[in-house]
Structure formats: structure tokens, C-alpha cells
Amino acid sequence: EAGVAQSPRYKIIEKRQSVAFWCNPISGHATLYWYQQILGQGPKLLIQFQNNGVVDDSQLPKDRFSAERLKGVDSTLKIQPAKLEDSAVYLCASSLGTSGRAYEQFFGPGTRLTVL
Amino acid sequence: GDSVTQMEGPVTLSEEAFLTINCTYTATGYPSLFWYVQYPGEGLQLLLKATKADDKGSNKGFEATYRKETTSFHLEKGSVQVSDSAVYFCALSDNKFYFGSGTKLNVKP
């Protein structure tokens, strides 16, 4: 079974530029998550989709971050414009469901973003 | 709000030593608890989980017991190997996921 795919793996940009990340979840997984992991910290949930609807985006900085999941499959996360503090690893995860608390999340390898 | 607190690292052990990584949580409901592991250069992988009080999760020699009375989910392994060197994250899920800050484990031969 193929895992969660993410691209690119690494990205270096200058502040005020824009950047986009792509995620393809495991086939059949209804729920997709985007996390931000700053060096030395645990992952912080940015946004959670159930199929193509947003379940939780309370920690997404909406003035500069946006995400979509068209057709309920793959997803893109965009930052525009980027700030220095956005330097982090952006993780995508998927799970079969969400309301069942025991659903395991499967993580992709992440995209390491460096903002100069 | 819900949160997870885990011991700071790094933790450095010799091979075959006993491992404990402490994790405590705060939750308003009855969460599920998880340990994830992140090997160098890789994504997070589920190590073990427990969904209700007194459940014990186990995998690859690691164990953790859901202790509601002490709101804890400490990770243990009786004999660590060099290949266990990684960052370990405690997490809870009560419809939303919350991760601890991670504990880096270094195992020396």
C-alpha cells in the first residue's frame, strides 16, 4: 500500500515570496491533516479536512496561509507571502476517519521549508 | 484546553539499558493516547496506542499504559538498541490531535 506522498521535499525561498506544497493521501482515507513542525517542537495542526470540507482550521494563519482539497483527494497548502518564522517542516497526514478517536494518522515525509 | 507534556531530551542511554520517557496529559474528555516515533529523515510513524483507561499499548518491545488516575502514558522499553535512536512524540486525540514537543533518544553502542 502506498503511503502519504508529499512534494517537494525541500524548498528554499526568500521572505515575501509565495510557496505551495502538495499532498496525496493514502487511497480511501477521508481525513487529511496539515501540520507545521518547527525545529525542536511537536507538530501543530494547521488544518483538517474531512473529504473536501474543512473540519478545523482554527490554528491556520488565514492572512497568509490557505489550503484546499479539491475532489476530496489530494491537497495543496499555500503560503503567501512567506515570513521568516514560517521556516519549518510541513507534514501531511491522512486517516480513515476522524470521529473515531482511535483512528491512526499516517504521515508523509514532510516538506522542509527554509525562508531566508 | 487539551495538552500533552513530555520529558525534555535528549535522553542518552547505552545499548541494553532500560528506557522510560514520561508523558502526562490534560484533557476535558476521554482521549485516546498515542506514541509516535520519528527516525532521522523520516516522517512520523505510529509506535503504539491505547484508547481507554488501563489499556496497555505495545509494539517492538515498547509499552505504555493509559493511567487515568495519574493522567499519564509513559513509554518504556526493557532493553534499548542503537536502532531505537529517534525522536518520540506523545499525543492525544479527543477529536483533535495534540502532540507533545518530542523527546530525542540517543542510544550508544
Side-chain angles (χ1 to χ4, degrees), chain A residues 1-71:
Chain A
E1 176 182 272
V4 176
Q6 290 188 248
S7 67
R9 291 295 308 276
Y10 305 92
K11 189 73 176 178
I12 300 174
I13 61 173
E14 295 189 351
K15 60 183 179 183
R16 290 188 289 273
Q17 287 186 321
S18 61
V19 64
F21 313 126
W22 174 81
C23 172
N24 186 251
I26 293 173
S27 178
H29 280 195
T31 309
L32 186 147
Y33 312 79
W34 282 104
Y35 289 89
Q36 180 191 58
Q37 186 179 15
I38 293 173
L39 186 65
Q41 299 181 18
K44 182 183 83 171
L45 181 68
L46 292 176
I47 188 166
Q48 177 180 338
F49 292 95
Q50 175 78 6
N51 296 310
N52 60 347
V54 176
V55 173
D56 183 359
D57 64 356
S58 57
Q59 298 195 90
L60 186 74
K62 298 180 185 64
D63 57 334
R64 298 185 299 107
F65 286 64
S66 64
E68 60 183 9
R69 190 184 184 197
L70 299 177
K71 302 181 182 178

Side-chain angles (χ1 to χ4, degrees), chain B residues 30-77:
Chain B
Y30 300 94
S32 292
L33 301 173
F34 304 82
W35 276 101
Y36 279 82
V37 59
Q38 187 173 34
Y39 297 103
E42 299 184 15
L44 278 76
Q45 306 173 26
L46 180 67
L47 182 59
L48 52 85
K49 68 180 182 184
T51 59
K52 61 182 187 298
D54 300 325
D55 268 4
K56 178 186 282 188
S58 62
N59 185 27
K60 299 181 181 179
F62 290 88
E63 293 183 339
T65 301
Y66 190 145
R67 301 284 188 201
K68 189 169 181 291
E69 63 276 14
T70 55
T71 62
S72 65
F73 193 56
H74 304 322
L75 182 68
E76 296 181 338
K77 187 175 185 182

